[in-house]
Amino acid sequence: MKEQKTNVMRLLEQKKISYTPHEYPHGDGAVDGQTVARICNQNPEQVFKTLVVRGASKTIYVFVIPVTSELDLKKAAKASGEKSVAMIHVSEINALTGYVRGGCSPVGMRKQYKTFYNISAADKPTIMVSAGKIGYQVELAPDELVKLTCGSYAELV
């Protein structure tokens, strides 16, 4: 069977960023991140989820945190310089990012939003994020990911 490439993988190759693709079986819906880590035989601390929030100023931000954690909205607001932030409604994900719930990647969104990565990613040789489609992940060096998305590290959980 031919390996399926996602737009995220094509973008990484275009930018000459080294990555390891991971594919996992799934049903019709999203699989939670800890299950993805188990199926892909990865440490859950190295598997990250992508969350999209709206600040009090109506600006959209992206936060990438370990699947084992929950985003601390106060820390997210502080990192983004907002008075407060709130998760966007699931119905807005596709319009804002071009992705669906469970397949949202910090790479290749419709628009480049200000992106923050939990500080715990910085000390890992690689982290795994969605490849932009349910059932697919990419594993790469966190610094490469931060550089590609013009992101920064912050305490988020």
Side-chain angles (χ1 to χ4, degrees):
M1 190 173 105
K2 185 177 177 287
E3 175 193 331
Q4 184 163 354
K5 285 225 184 338
T6 67
N7 286 338
V8 169
M9 294 172 191
R10 287 185 198 94
L11 188 66
L12 292 172
E13 287 171 7
Q14 180 190 348
K15 301 285 186 188
K16 300 193 178 354
I17 295 173
S18 175
Y19 72 93
T20 304
H22 293 271
E23 191 174 341
Y24 61 90
H26 59 90
D28 288 338
V31 180
D32 75 273
Q34 296 203 44
T35 302
V36 170
R38 192 177 65 251
I39 293 170
C40 293
N41 204 21
Q42 294 286 319
N43 175 347
E45 296 294 318
Q46 278 184 265
V47 180
F48 283 64
K49 57 188 171 185
T50 304
L51 304 172
V52 183
V53 306
R54 180 175 282 116
S57 70
K58 304 292 184 230
T59 303
I60 300 297
Y61 299 94
V62 176
F63 293 94
V64 185
I65 65 169
V67 297
T68 54
S69 303
E70 279 191 38
L71 180 64
D72 182 319
L73 295 176
K74 282 187 172 47
K75 289 179 180 176
K78 183 178 178 195
S80 61
E82 290 279 352
K83 195 162 67 175
S84 64
V85 298
M87 298 295 297
I88 63 163
H89 192 274
V90 72
S91 65
E92 293 181 277
I93 290 174
N94 185 264
L96 289 170
T97 67
Y99 295 123
V100 297
R101 180 178 177 266
C104 194
S105 176
V107 177
M109 288 191 180
R110 285 203 168 123
K111 189 174 169 213
Q112 181 65 63
Y113 298 111
K114 195 144 175 56
T115 304
F116 299 90
Y117 295 81
N118 193 59
I119 194 73
S120 66
D123 62 4
K124 299 191 174 22
T126 62
I127 63 169
M128 231 166 74
V129 296
S130 173
K133 193 172 180 182
I134 295 173
Y136 299 89
Q137 297 272 308
V138 288
E139 180 182 353
L140 66 161
D143 286 345
E144 291 281 353
L145 194 55
V146 169
K147 194 167 114 188
L148 176 65
T149 59
C150 302
S152 56
Y153 292 111
E155 188 62 56
L156 303 172
V157 298

